[in-house]
């Protein structure tokens, strides 16, 4: 009996030691991951100078950077950028969700001539760097006069969104066909089935699509910078914030950059954390087999 | 070798066996591949033959309505009860003819030469100054020619469909079947033909904004469109494969050798980067996910939320922030110096080799939460009876990890790994926002030490307006990705055939 207790005790000890080690590792990881953001927030309140400095916590705390961010708009117009990005992402989100859901539903549920060919075509088209389409679209839009214009940017984002059908299609595939058939027996047309039967069941993937298509324009540097060549007022936040960090602007704008970064990050982070359940469901449900 | 004997080998023996087998099977696999080619041609030939047969039937066996449809599209449909379709076909034909006559023909004719004269200075007597008058614009010529070619292809396809439908309608009438009228057609759009309704707008967008631009860019790769040949003031010309020869071999044009050298170096780094970025994130993410998931660790939600914060904050913010923290007088260097750990600031972002390592490390910082999230979701889905039965059989935790967790993980996440790998090849933001592709290297043509193919493409377009070279690189990136995807896809299919794990 004593043998057993001793064995149990030593096993427990080993378990506790491993757990403690794991806890230490996790704490270190959390600290390392969070320090940059702490730095960002702390720096955004710095009052004594506006360039990059070598210490973390400000000597003078002030709201000045935030105020200047919103009011000082002659050269670097942050409120304008924010508005631009907001508009672009809202419009893109609506259009893109419609396109992606329509395409993935069709490819998942309906069988028609050319379906396999279409999927292969989109697979191959997806292998071209998106950049190539962008340059060509830039030329096309220049002829129509839509460059340097938010509508042009929305067009670029939305243009190839049909190719993002893969994850949604995977999700739709997991909804059993028997539902479709039952509805058909009751006399529903495909249109009704889509709107009234399948969509309500697909809430996670709908939210996932809306979330990802809303968040994408916020972080896009490549397309936005090429579309709005030189027109500072039409930048989105990514291009604008990077503009604050160029060699000429850095000494004057660094703290303002931190303030701007905080202003951009908080709503997005909140939105993401609120909807993260759908994001995880989307990624694990549609993107991953089994 | 029987399955049982294979399983009895040790890990190393299995590896040797697989290795030798791969090369033993190689000639056989190649032979199979080449054997399939004539079959493929046969299938293609059949398809083409059926097209011509259809046209022949329409001509030989068609009644007068079908024969009229050769010239007036939609004629047969109109007279057989499908009014709406008939009108649409006719309208399409009219629009096409108008387009070609007034617009398309002009540009298509100039496609070969890409314009004769770009512009001219002309004395304007009214204003008393020299003005520029523009004639041919090479870019517009190419663009509109591509558009016209697409239109022509579409027309041929629609004309063929028109004849085919007429054949079918004629046969239906002869047998006595009822022809679906306009009302039936419209109703079925919400039902059997719903895919046409749903897909019409996405496909339109796809063709106009993806396919046509890609074809256009492919054509540009064969011209010399760059800063020295900039419409509307200058023309550019076809140069055939010269650009490709330049970048792959070097030596056709003045800058050729530099381009080739830059291309090789950038390609190598892109591949190395993609491998490291994908696999470090994957393995480390898995370790972290398992640490958090371990039995006996509390506050699981807390740890996960901390890491999710990095995902929730937009990555461009994190990257721009890091680029400042790691700069020569940024906080990391200053802190290390004030602690006395280093004498001089470490050139995280300015030294070519160090920058490469920095970029991978920062990518780990950004990427681990993503992989961790996904792997946690999967870990929770592994059926626990696998572990139960293993424990009953006396397996320790390490053995369970290597024999159950790892294979399951690998099988389930292979598609994710492939798409992440491909995505990392094109990962513009991480490299550009962190280092700007710096440090700019003298021996490179407009490229830096950490440039990927995609950021180099961007620089060539943005800074040098060298569109032709950018298009060439785009095509080469496509080839790289296509080859990798094909190999992995085929290999995973082959693996599936002898998959031991279900």
């Amino acid at each position: 009996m004593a043998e057993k207790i001793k064995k149990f005790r030593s096993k427990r000890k080993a378990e506790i030691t491993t757990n403690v080690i794991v806890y230490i590792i996790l704490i270190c990881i959390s600290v390392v991951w969070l320090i940059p953001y702490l730095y960002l927030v702390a720096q955004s309140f710095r009052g004594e100078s506006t360039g990059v400095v070598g210490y973390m916590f400000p000597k003078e705390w002030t709201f000045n950077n935030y105020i200047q961010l919103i009011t000082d708009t002659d050269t670097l117009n942050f409120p304008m950028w924010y508005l631009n990005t907001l508009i672009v992402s809202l419009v893109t989100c609506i259009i893109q969700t419609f396109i992606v859901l329509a395409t993935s539903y069709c490819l998942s549920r309906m069988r028609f001539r050319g379906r396999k060919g279409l999927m292969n075509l989109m697979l191959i088209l997806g292998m071209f760097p998106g950049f190539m389409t962008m340059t060509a679209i830039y030329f096309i839009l220049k002829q129509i006069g839509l460059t340097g214009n938010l509508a042009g940017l929305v067009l670029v984002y939305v243009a190839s969104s049909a190719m993002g059908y893969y994850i949604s299609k995977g999700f739709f595939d997991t909804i059993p066909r028997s539902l479709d058939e039952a509805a058909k027996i009751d006399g529903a047309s495909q249109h009704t089935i889509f709107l009234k039967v399948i969509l309500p069941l697909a809430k996670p993937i709908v939210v996932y699509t809306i979330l990802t298509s809303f968040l994408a324009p916020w972080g896009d540097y490549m397309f936005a910078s090429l579309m709005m060549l030189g027109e500072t007022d039409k930048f989105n936040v990514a291009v604008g914030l990077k503009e604050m960090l160029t060699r000429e602007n850095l000494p004057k704008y660094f703290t303002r950059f931190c303030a701007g970064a905080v202003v951009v990050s908080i709503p997005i982070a909140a939105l993401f954390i609120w909807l993260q359940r759908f994001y995880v469901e989307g990624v694990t449900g549609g993107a991953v087999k089994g | 070798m029987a399955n049982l004997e294979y399983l009895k080998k040790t890990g190393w023996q299995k590896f040797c066996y697989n290795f030798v087998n791969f090369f033993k099977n190689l000639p056989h696999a190649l032979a199979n591949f080449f054997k399939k080619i004539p079959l493929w041609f046969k299938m293609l030939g059949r398809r083409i033959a059926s097209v011509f047969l259809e046209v022949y039937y329409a001509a030989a066996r068609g009644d007068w309505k079908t024969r009229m449809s050769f010239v007036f599209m939609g004629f047969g449909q109109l007279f057989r009860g499908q009014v709406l379709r008939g009108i649409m076909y006719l309208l399409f034909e009219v629009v096409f003819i108008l387009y070609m006559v007034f617009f398309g023909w002009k540009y298509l004719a100039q496609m070969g030469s890409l314009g004769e004269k770009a512009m001219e200075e002309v004395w304007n007597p009214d204003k008393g100054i020299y003005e520029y008058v523009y004639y041919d614009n090479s870019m517009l010529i190419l663009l509109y020619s591509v558009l016209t070619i697409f239109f022509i292809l579409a027309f041929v396809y629609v004309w063929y469909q028109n004849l085919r439908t007429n054949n079918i309608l004629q046969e239906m009438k002869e047998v006595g079947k009822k022809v679906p009228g306009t009302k039936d057609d419209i109703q079925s759009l919400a039902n059997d033909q719903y895919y046409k309704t749903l897909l019409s707008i996405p496909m339109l967008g796809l063709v106009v904004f993806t396919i046509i631009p890609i074809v256009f860019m492919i054509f540009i790769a064969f011209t010399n469109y760059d800063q020295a040949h900039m419409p509307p003031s200058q023309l550019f010309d076809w140069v055939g494969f010269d650009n490709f020869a330049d970048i792959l071999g070097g030596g056709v044009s003045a800058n050729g050798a530099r381009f080739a050298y830059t291309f090789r170096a950038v390609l190598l780094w892109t591949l190395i980067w993609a491998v490291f970025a994908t696999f470090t994130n994957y393995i480390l993410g898995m370790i972290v996910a398992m640490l958090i998931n371990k039995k006996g660790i509390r506050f699981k939600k807390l740890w996960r939320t901390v890491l999710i914060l990095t995902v929730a904050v937009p990555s461009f913010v994190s990257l721009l922030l890091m680029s400042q923290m790691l700069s020569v007088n940024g906080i990391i260097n200053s802190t290390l110096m004030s602690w006395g750990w280093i004498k001089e600031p470490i050139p995280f972002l300015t030294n070519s080799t160090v920058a490469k390592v920095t970029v991978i490390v920062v990518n780990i910082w950004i990427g681990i939460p993503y992989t961790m999230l996904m792997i946690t979701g999967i870990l929770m889905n592994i059926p626990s009876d696998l572990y139960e039965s293993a424990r009953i059989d006396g397996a320790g935790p390490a053995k369970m990890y290597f024999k159950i967790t790892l294979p399951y993980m690998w099988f389930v996440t292979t598609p994710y790994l492939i798409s992440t790998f491909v995505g990392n090849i094109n990962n513009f933001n991480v490299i550009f926002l962190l280092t700007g592709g710096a440090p700019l290297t003298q021996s490179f043509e407009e490229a830096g030490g950490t440039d990927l193919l995609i950021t180099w493409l961007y620089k060539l377009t943005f800074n040098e307006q060298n569109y032709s070279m950018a298009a060439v690189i785009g095509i080469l990136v496509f080839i790289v990705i296509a080859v990798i995807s094909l190999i992995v896809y085929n290999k995973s299919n082959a693996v599936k055939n002898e998959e031991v794990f279900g």
Side-chain angles (χ1 to χ4, degrees):
Chain A
M1 187 64 192
E3 271 286 322
K4 270 212 184 137
I5 297 182
K6 239 211 282 188
K7 242 194 182 175
F8 176 72
R9 283 237 181 91
S10 63
K11 235 191 180 180
R12 271 295 284 171
K13 246 209 255 178
E15 228 182 273
I16 297 183
T17 353
T18 357
N19 278 357
V20 168
I21 298 182
V22 171
Y23 274 121
I24 295 182
I25 297 181
L26 285 178
I27 294 182
C28 288
I29 291 183
S30 309
V31 164
V32 167
W33 251 253
L34 287 182
I35 280 195
Y37 297 119
L38 192 59
Y39 175 73
L40 183 69
V41 175
Q43 289 292 308
S44 67
F45 288 113
R46 176 146 58 86
E48 62 272 14
S49 61
T50 51
V52 184
V53 291
Y55 49 89
M56 170 116 98
F57 288 101
K59 304 208 175 90
E60 283 173 31
W61 295 75
T62 164
F63 273 109
N64 221 353
N65 297 314
Y66 288 92
I67 300 180
Q68 274 185 336
L69 193 68
I70 309 184
T71 51
D72 176 14
T73 57
D74 12 310
T75 36
L76 300 183
N77 194 341
F78 185 78
M80 190 88 234
W81 297 335
Y82 201 84
L83 200 63
N84 289 342
T85 327
L86 194 62
I87 296 178
V88 167
S89 45
L90 276 174
V91 178
T92 314
C93 160
I94 297 177
I95 303 181
Q96 194 162 346
T97 311
F98 164 69
I99 292 187
V100 167
L101 287 178
T103 321
S104 41
Y105 176 75
C106 270
L107 292 177
S108 152
R109 276 302 193 261
M110 311 204 67
R111 295 286 175 267
F112 52 93
R113 214 167 62 134
R115 173 177 160 266
K116 265 262 155 94
L118 190 63
M119 291 207 284
N120 283 334
L121 178 69
M122 293 208 265
L123 191 67
I124 296 186
L125 285 178
M127 292 188 200
F128 279 98
F131 194 75
M132 299 223 333
T133 52
M134 214 236 77
T135 337
I137 294 180
Y138 181 74
F139 289 140
I140 298 178
L141 291 181
K142 208 147 68 139
Q143 295 311 309
I144 317 182
L146 276 179
T147 51
N149 189 318
L150 292 183
L153 195 56
V154 171
L155 223 49
V156 171
Y157 289 138
V158 159
S160 48
S161 43
M163 299 199 292
Y165 71 92
Y166 191 66
I167 292 186
S168 315
K169 172 171 175 296
F171 190 87
F172 280 127
D173 282 340
T174 61
I175 300 183
R177 291 289 187 100
S178 40
L179 285 168
D180 285 48
E181 289 164 20
K184 253 203 205 133
I185 294 180
D186 286 343
S189 69
Q190 280 286 355
H191 182 68
T192 329
I193 297 180
F194 181 42
L195 287 184
K196 298 233 166 71
V197 178
I198 306 284
L199 268 191
L201 284 176
K203 198 156 92 102
I205 206 67
V206 171
V207 176
Y208 172 80
T209 313
I210 295 182
L211 183 65
T212 37
S213 53
F214 180 77
L215 290 182
W218 288 89
D220 165 64
Y221 182 86
M222 190 164 67
F223 292 111
S225 61
L226 275 175
M227 270 286 146
M228 310 299 180
L229 253 179
E231 305 212 22
T232 354
D233 267 357
K234 295 266 173 49
F235 280 172
N236 73 352
V237 281
V239 183
L241 284 177
K242 177 147 201 304
E243 192 67 22
M244 282 193 194
L245 296 179
T246 55
R247 192 157 289 162
E248 315 93 50
N249 284 335
L250 187 58
K252 183 160 173 253
Y253 284 102
F254 178 66
T255 42
R256 222 183 288 186
F257 160 78
C258 294
V262 172
V263 169
V264 167
S265 313
I266 290 191
I268 295 188
L271 187 67
F272 190 85
I273 293 185
W274 176 47
L275 293 175
Q276 63 156 294
R277 173 168 71 96
F278 297 107
Y279 184 81
V280 176
E281 264 187 64
V283 172
T284 53
V288 149
K289 265 201 312 226
Chain B
M1 170 159 308
N3 222 3
L4 200 56
E5 287 184 33
Y6 177 77
L7 288 173
K8 273 201 210 151
K9 295 182 179 234
T10 63
W12 174 246
Q13 285 176 326
K14 276 191 197 156
F15 179 73
C16 293
Y17 175 74
N18 281 333
F19 192 70
V20 169
N21 234 26
F22 176 71
F23 285 105
K24 261 208 306 198
N25 280 337
L26 204 55
H28 188 67
L30 278 174
N32 268 349
F33 177 74
F34 281 111
K35 262 194 243 173
K36 285 203 199 136
I37 293 189
L39 282 171
W40 190 78
F41 272 113
K42 218 162 79 170
M43 192 183 73
L44 196 65
R46 276 218 196 103
R47 285 256 180 91
I48 298 185
S50 74
V51 169
F52 281 108
L53 234 88
E54 205 68 61
V55 179
Y56 169 71
Y57 281 152
R61 288 208 248 137
D63 60 4
W64 71 278
K65 294 184 198 144
T66 312
R67 294 223 181 100
M68 283 297 273
S69 301
F70 268 90
V71 178
F72 295 108
M73 279 169 43
F75 196 80
Q77 278 91 335
L78 276 174
F79 278 84
R80 285 196 247 256
Q82 288 195 329
V83 179
L84 186 62
R85 284 197 194 218
I87 294 184
M88 279 171 58
Y89 272 115
L90 204 57
L91 218 64
F92 185 74
E93 183 179 7
V94 167
V95 165
F96 176 74
I97 293 182
L98 284 177
Y99 170 83
M100 283 303 285
V101 164
F102 286 108
F103 193 75
W105 183 243
K106 243 189 346 180
Y107 288 102
L108 203 55
Q110 288 186 312
M111 193 172 163
S113 64
L114 285 180
E116 299 294 319
K117 188 158 69 161
M119 68 174 187
E120 197 179 34
E121 264 191 292
V122 163
W123 171 253
N124 185 332
D126 305 323
K127 293 195 194 158
I129 48 165
Y130 275 104
E131 270 185 346
Y132 284 114
V133 175
Y134 293 104
Y135 292 104
D136 296 329
N137 185 323
S138 299
M139 197 264 303
L140 286 182
I141 292 178
L142 188 58
L143 184 62
Y144 293 140
S145 305
V146 170
L147 230 72
T148 314
I149 293 180
F150 265 94
F151 216 157
I152 294 181
L153 288 173
F155 179 74
V156 169
Y157 177 71
V158 172
W159 182 79
Y160 166 70
Q161 284 289 50
N162 168 49
L163 287 181
R164 197 168 149 269
T165 324
N166 266 310
N167 275 342
I168 296 178
L169 284 179
Q170 181 181 330
E171 282 180 26
M172 283 173 85
K173 270 281 166 74
E174 282 171 7
V175 180
K177 268 175 92 178
K178 178 174 174 306
V179 164
T182 309
K183 216 171 91 168
D184 299 320
D185 252 343
I186 298 187
Q187 265 186 349
S188 80
L189 272 183
N191 209 353
D192 295 324
Q193 299 193 51
Y194 193 46
Y195 65 92
K196 285 193 189 160
T197 347
L198 271 191
L199 283 184
S200 49
I201 301 182
M203 286 308 116
L204 188 70
L206 194 71
V207 167
V208 173
F209 290 107
T210 310
I211 299 186
I212 292 189
I214 286 183
V215 171
F216 177 62
M217 284 308 272
I218 294 181
F219 277 125
I220 293 237
F222 293 99
T223 67
N224 61 358
Y225 190 175
D226 60 19
Q227 230 167 19
H229 301 88
M230 198 60 108
S233 40
Q234 286 130 336
L235 299 170
F236 59 78
D237 254 324
W238 296 108
V239 291
F241 281 97
D242 280 1
N243 289 331
F244 286 92
D246 257 350
I247 216 175
L248 292 174
V252 175
S253 76
N255 256 341
R258 260 165 70 96
F259 264 113
Y261 174 66
T262 317
F263 176 70
R264 276 195 288 268
V266 173
L267 176 66
L268 187 63
W269 165 240
T270 309
L271 291 175
I272 295 181
W273 150 260
V275 168
F276 271 95
T278 320
F279 285 103
T280 47
N281 277 354
Y282 183 68
I283 297 181
L284 292 176
M286 180 153 33
I287 295 181
V288 173
M290 285 174 43
L291 281 181
I292 298 185
N293 212 29
K294 188 173 180 313
K295 258 188 358 173
I297 301 289
R298 298 196 285 171
F299 312 120
K300 288 196 186 359
K301 257 218 156 158
L302 172 68
W303 306 120
R304 289 205 194 109
T305 316
V306 164
L307 287 177
I308 286 182
L309 209 57
T310 337
V311 174
V313 173
S315 62
F316 79 91
V317 167
S318 316
L319 288 166
L320 289 175
L321 176 67
M322 267 314 194
S323 73
Q324 289 313 305
M325 283 175 74
L326 290 168
S327 67
V328 179
N329 46 7
I331 182 166
I332 293 191
N333 270 326
S334 312
T335 326
L336 288 179
M337 285 209 290
S338 68
W339 287 350
W341 284 17
I342 51 175
K343 292 275 175 30
E344 285 176 356
I346 305 181
F348 283 113
L349 302 174
T350 38
N351 173 305
S352 201
T353 339
V354 182
K356 291 189 166 101
V357 174
T358 315
V359 155
I360 294 181
V361 170
V362 172
N363 188 54
I364 294 180
W365 176 62
I366 296 206
I368 281 197
Y370 282 106
T371 23
M372 185 217 69
L373 266 184
M374 198 192 69
I375 293 185
T376 312
I378 300 176
L379 270 179
M380 300 217 230
N381 276 336
I382 300 185
S384 50
D385 22 332
L386 281 174
Y387 288 112
E388 287 296 323
S389 39
R391 202 169 296 129
I392 294 178
D393 286 343
K399 221 190 181 106
M400 284 203 288
Y401 175 71
F402 280 108
K403 288 263 192 278
I404 300 183
T405 325
L406 218 44
Y408 186 89
M409 271 295 156
W410 178 252
F411 177 68
V412 168
T413 53
T414 309
Y416 170 79
L417 273 178
I418 300 175
S419 54
T420 315
F421 183 77
V422 169
N424 269 328
I425 293 185
N426 279 339
N427 195 342
F428 181 83
N429 269 9
V430 173
I431 301 283
F432 193 77
L433 294 180
L434 207 51
T435 60
L440 221 45
T441 313
Q442 275 300 67
S443 50
F444 288 166
E445 175 74 31
E446 191 81 24
T450 48
D451 258 328
L452 300 179
L453 284 172
I454 183 100
T455 55
W456 187 32
L457 223 165
Y458 176 86
K459 283 184 183 168
L460 280 177
T461 313
F462 200 77
N463 299 338
E464 275 194 12
Q465 278 98 41
N466 194 337
Y467 297 115
S468 54
M469 266 312 183
V472 170
I473 298 174
I475 295 181
L476 291 173
V477 169
F478 164 75
I479 295 182
V480 167
I481 294 181
V483 166
I484 295 180
S485 304
L486 274 174
I487 294 181
V488 178
Y489 190 70
N490 279 328
K491 205 176 147 254
S492 68
N493 267 336
V495 165
K496 257 190 260 175
N497 288 335
E498 41 157 285
E499 190 56 55
V500 179
F501 180 82

